[in-house]
Amino acid sequence: MLTEMAPAATDLGEVFRAAGHELALVGGPVRDAFLGRASNDLDFATSAMPDETQRLLAAWGDAHWDIGKEFGTIGARKGDVVVEVTTYRTDRYDPESRKPLVEFGSSLDGDLSRRDFTVNAMAVRLPELTFVDPYDGLTDLARKVLRTPIAPERSFDDDPLRMMRAARFAAQLSFHVEHGTLAALVAMAARIEIVSAERVQAELSKLVTAPNPRAGLEVLVDTGLADHVLPELPALQLEIDEHHRHKDVYEHSLIVLDQAIAQETGPDGPVPAPDLVLRLAALLHDVGKPATRRFEPGGGVSFHHHEVVGAKMVSKRLRALKYEKQVVKDVARLVELHLRFHGYGDGEWTDSAVRRYVTDAGPLLERLHRLTRADCTTRNRRKAKRLSDAYTHLEKRIHALRQQEEIDAIRPDLDGNQIMEILGIGPGREVGQAYKHLLGLRMERGPLGEDTATEELRKWWADRDA
């Protein structure tokens, strides 16, 4: 494995060694190499100070940047390979601050101790390709375990965002959190509030777009982290009746998310995976239910207008998490529309109602199709098939109407005024007949151009008189 590292890594190691500095490949690229996954984005740690790192990378790469210099990080690109080189460091938070305090360190082992988990605390010294694993990350990698290199309480106190990363890596790698680390997550969940909304949002987005977001979301909810970053999610853990005959809304939402993911498309399809907007909408589509729950006479339960209430709640939460305006708008709109289909019944909608459904969805229609289908989680096969067939019928009507409207939008090459002028006639039935003839030619032969259309019109008129 080590001998297959990117040649650029060993090349860069020679550059730093010649200048009298240590360099090591660290973190994700090392972990992913053991997992059989290649990466063109390589992270390094070095004994060199940022100014010296910048000087060396400027000479080595095709381009370099210093946007992370405050934190000791200099980036560079050489060919298709992108690298980031960071001075050995330790991070910690001031109890009253939302930003980490950066202190440069003096050794690779010390730098690795500040990593979030042991599976990310492995390194390869360069250029000699010596594997370094002071915290037994390779064993944890084989066991699929997330464990902090140092005491989890200290690690999470130094950087509370590591708690979010535990959930994110559970989603990305399908790893489970080690017992002691999990206990610290529960005990320290409130500490996440010191972290900026932007950093929390970035981790949440990576979690939601990971291969197995359910695993990460369960970590968030089970540890209490979600109470501080996405409280609408654990609030869904309510039973519909006292006999526990129904799944709670939380479990339903996770199933809807799984089913929505299964309907994402390839890169050339209408909803390429992973689609953040669709996944957030699937996860949060029912957040309005707790606020609208009513127990009806006879033992029933209703959630009237929960889609409207939910859309407002989603918009408020996503704005608080500093999501882009368009993401907030799109997710909230999908939540607002997710029940619209249930008025379709057995196809009673008029063509006008179908058009309104398409118009209201706008560019979100393909996502709405998938969200609506995913929202069916009933175990009653007959009911599930009936709903699926009804939605297939609606999709066919939408397709047919679109085709018809495309046809209806086609116009002949000459309008009514031109027809009257060319033929020297006034308004009347003949103008309509001529228009219909030219439209038929347009449909059959495509655009004719004004000259050819005039010639065909005169020919039709002459043949008509004959």
Side-chain angles (χ1 to χ4, degrees):
M1 184 281 300
L2 299 182
T3 57
E4 296 174 0
M5 289 288 183
T10 53
D11 178 39
L12 194 58
E14 294 283 6
V15 170
F16 273 74
R17 183 166 66 176
H21 302 293
E22 297 177 4
L23 185 74
L25 188 67
V26 295
V30 180
R31 178 200 68 220
D32 288 345
F34 280 108
L35 292 174
R37 301 190 299 193
S39 174
N40 281 334
D41 296 341
L42 304 177
D43 296 326
F44 298 87
T46 182
S47 60
M49 289 293 106
D51 285 340
E52 176 68 359
T53 298
Q54 184 172 0
R55 184 184 70 80
L56 294 173
L57 290 181
W60 173 81
D62 301 324
H64 76 283
W65 49 93
D66 62 358
I67 192 169
K69 192 172 183 178
E70 178 185 358
F71 300 99
T73 301
I74 307 296
R77 176 183 56 79
K78 187 171 187 176
D80 294 330
V81 177
V82 176
V83 305
E84 286 192 347
V85 181
T86 302
T87 302
Y88 294 154
R89 69 188 192 190
T90 57
D91 289 350
R92 63 182 179 84
Y93 272 75
D94 184 293
E96 305 303 322
S97 172
R98 288 179 175 269
K99 294 183 179 181
L101 303 173
V102 177
E103 296 179 356
F104 295 131
S106 58
S107 71
L108 177 60
D109 282 7
D111 183 82
L112 294 177
S113 73
R114 58 164 285 276
R115 303 283 161 168
D116 46 16
F117 303 104
T118 59
V119 295
N120 295 326
M122 301 180 290
V124 177
R125 289 188 181 275
L126 300 168
E128 58 267 37
L129 296 178
T130 302
F131 180 55
V132 180
D133 185 16
Y135 302 102
D136 205 15
L138 194 56
T139 297
D140 286 343
L141 193 67
R143 295 167 54 217
K144 297 187 175 182
V145 167
L146 294 171
R147 178 174 60 87
T148 55
I150 58 177
E153 295 82 4
R154 180 184 162 194
S155 179
F156 297 150
D157 191 57
D158 286 347
D159 185 355
L161 192 66
R162 290 170 183 161
M163 296 188 288
M164 286 292 297
R165 286 201 286 264
R168 190 243 293 183
F169 284 120
Q172 287 182 330
L173 303 173
S174 293
F175 283 15
H176 66 274
V177 184
E178 177 264 338
H179 177 73
T181 303
L182 191 65
L185 282 172
V186 174
M188 302 183 67
R191 180 80 167 129
I192 195 65
E193 293 187 1
I194 202 67
V195 181
S196 69
E198 291 85 353
R199 297 184 76 208
V200 170
Q201 178 245 100
E203 288 296 327
L204 181 62
S205 294
K206 291 176 183 177
L207 186 162
V208 171
T209 54
N212 183 17
R214 172 191 277 261
L217 293 166
E218 288 174 342
V219 171
L220 289 183
V221 172
D222 293 347
T223 61
L225 274 169
D227 293 334
H228 303 280
V229 299
L230 195 63
E232 294 79 6
L233 188 58
L236 296 176
Q237 292 179 306
L238 50 89
E239 292 292 342
I240 290 181
D241 63 48
E242 68 275 17
H243 302 293
H244 308 287
R245 288 192 297 258
H246 303 281
K247 296 174 183 174
D248 61 36
V249 185
Y250 168 69
E251 176 62 22
H252 163 76
S253 298
L254 293 181
I255 294 172
V256 173
L257 174 59
D258 288 339
Q259 294 184 166
I261 291 170
Q263 295 185 62
E264 291 173 335
T265 67
D268 297 326
V271 186
D275 190 274
L276 177 66
V277 167
L278 174 62
R279 294 187 182 199
L280 285 173
L283 178 65
L284 302 173
H285 74 286
D286 274 347
V287 295
K289 278 191 170 180
T292 59
R293 180 171 62 161
R294 298 290 182 271
F295 294 96
E296 305 291 350
V301 179
S302 66
F303 304 96
H304 294 309
H305 305 301
H306 77 268
E307 73 281 12
V308 178
V309 173
K312 293 178 181 177
M313 293 172 63
V314 164
S315 181
K316 182 178 180 181
R317 175 55 52 195
L318 297 185
R319 285 199 307 269
L321 287 168
K322 307 297 184 182
Y323 274 98
E324 294 179 5
K325 289 182 180 179
Q326 194 62 50
V327 171
V328 175
K329 181 179 178 180
D330 289 349
V331 176
R333 186 62 168 158
L334 285 172
V335 171
E336 183 182 0
L337 293 175
H338 84 272
L339 282 185
R340 181 75 66 85
F341 160 72
H342 292 283
Y344 187 72
D346 294 321
E348 292 92 349
W349 280 2
T350 63
D351 285 353
S352 177
V354 174
R355 289 190 186 96
R356 190 159 53 250
Y357 184 80
V358 173
T359 300
D360 288 349
L364 299 172
L365 182 63
E366 289 293 343
R367 290 182 175 114
L368 183 59
H369 285 336
R370 285 154 178 80
L371 175 60
T372 302
R373 286 189 177 278
D375 195 23
C376 177
T377 61
T378 178
R379 293 182 180 179
N380 184 322
R381 292 185 179 180
R382 178 178 292 181
K383 181 180 179 181
K385 185 176 187 306
R386 178 168 54 81
L387 287 170
S388 177
D389 289 348
Y391 203 81
T392 297
H393 184 258
L394 173 59
E395 288 181 312
K396 287 180 178 179
R397 286 186 65 187
I398 290 172
H399 180 69
L401 282 171
R402 279 179 162 172
Q403 284 190 316
Q404 185 60 50
E405 285 164 1
E406 286 176 8
I407 292 172
D408 291 345
I410 294 176
R411 298 289 183 268
D413 298 84
L414 302 174
D415 62 24
N417 290 328
Q418 290 171 304
I419 290 171
M420 289 187 289
E421 182 179 348
I422 292 168
L423 298 181
I425 61 175
R429 186 175 60 180
E430 292 89 350
V431 178
Q433 291 173 340
Y435 187 93
K436 185 176 181 181
H437 172 70
L438 291 176
L439 179 60
L441 292 176
R442 172 73 172 77
M443 297 281 285
E444 180 182 348
R445 294 161 55 180
L448 301 175
E450 190 172 326
D451 291 344
T452 301
T454 298
E455 182 181 338
E456 292 290 345
L457 175 62
R458 294 186 188 282
K459 180 180 178 183
W460 170 81
W461 184 255
D463 290 344
R464 176 180 174 278
D465 288 342

